[in-house]
Amino acid sequence: MQAFFLNPYEENLLIKQYELQLKEFCKRFEPTMPKYVIGTSFHYFKRFYLHNSAMNYHPKEILATCVYLACKVEEFNVSIQQFVANVRGDRQKAMDIILSNELVLMQELNFNLTCHNPFRPVEGFLIDIKTRCRVPNPDRLRTGIDEFLEKSYLSDACLIFAPSQIALAAVLHAASKLSENLDSYVTESLFANAEHMLKPLIEAVRSE
């Protein structure tokens, strides 16, 4: 009988596969989906499967529901008809599935629908770097930052670290790719009185 059920490794592998599909769905969505909507979609999807099994709720259905709910919560105004126009296959069926799962999803998220993504802290760090550092044209870091944050979607970082920590890790990662040194900014400006927080951050950036 046990052969009919997924083991924890198989279930985790299945969820990770659908996270890749979530990323692709958001990437090809029309109209273009803002980054913060994508981030919130991943938040919802990961949080849902912290307490639920893929054997009870099909990830394909929950994926679409998470994205639709994120569009509403983040005020990315698309109608349900516009939304399912991006879905392959039977669009009426997709609409019925999304609308029937929406309340279930909200209940499983305990109606805590506000998500804090790292994009706003990133803007704050870039402004701060322009003010306090001699890094030429800090906007050059944006490409590396976006790459880092996109990779973080496929990890559990959003469940473990604060948005500001993820944002700082992204900035430091982008700076290292361009051979820019932000050590003095981090140690003297950000962590001057909190050295104990510096080592875990450095280890987290390196592990990414």
Side-chain angles (χ1 to χ4, degrees), residues 18-112:
Y18 275 97
E19 285 181 1
L20 290 171
Q21 292 193 24
L22 194 163
K23 179 182 172 184
E24 288 304 310
F25 177 75
C26 293
K27 191 175 180 179
R28 68 171 190 268
F29 195 88
E30 292 294 339
T32 303
M33 188 176 287
K35 291 182 288 187
Y36 55 85
V37 178
I38 300 173
T40 298
S41 300
F42 271 96
H43 266 269
Y44 291 168
F45 190 78
K46 291 175 186 293
R47 283 169 55 198
F48 182 87
Y49 283 108
L50 280 176
H51 305 291
N52 293 285
S53 171
M55 291 180 283
N56 292 330
Y57 297 96
H58 198 301
K60 185 176 181 181
E61 297 180 359
I62 297 301
L63 180 161
T65 311
C66 286
V67 179
Y68 180 66
L69 182 60
C71 289
K72 293 172 73 173
V73 171
E74 297 292 355
E75 298 182 357
F76 177 52
N77 296 316
V78 291
S79 67
I80 186 65
Q81 289 79 14
Q82 286 177 295
F83 187 89
V84 297
N86 290 274
V87 175
R88 293 170 181 169
D90 189 331
R91 290 170 180 170
Q92 182 58 51
K93 182 180 178 182
M95 188 186 303
D96 293 340
I97 288 170
I98 291 168
L99 295 178
S100 64
N101 281 329
E102 188 176 12
L103 182 57
V104 173
L105 175 60
M106 288 191 288
Q107 288 173 332
E108 292 302 317
L109 296 175
N110 293 319
F111 296 95
N112 294 322

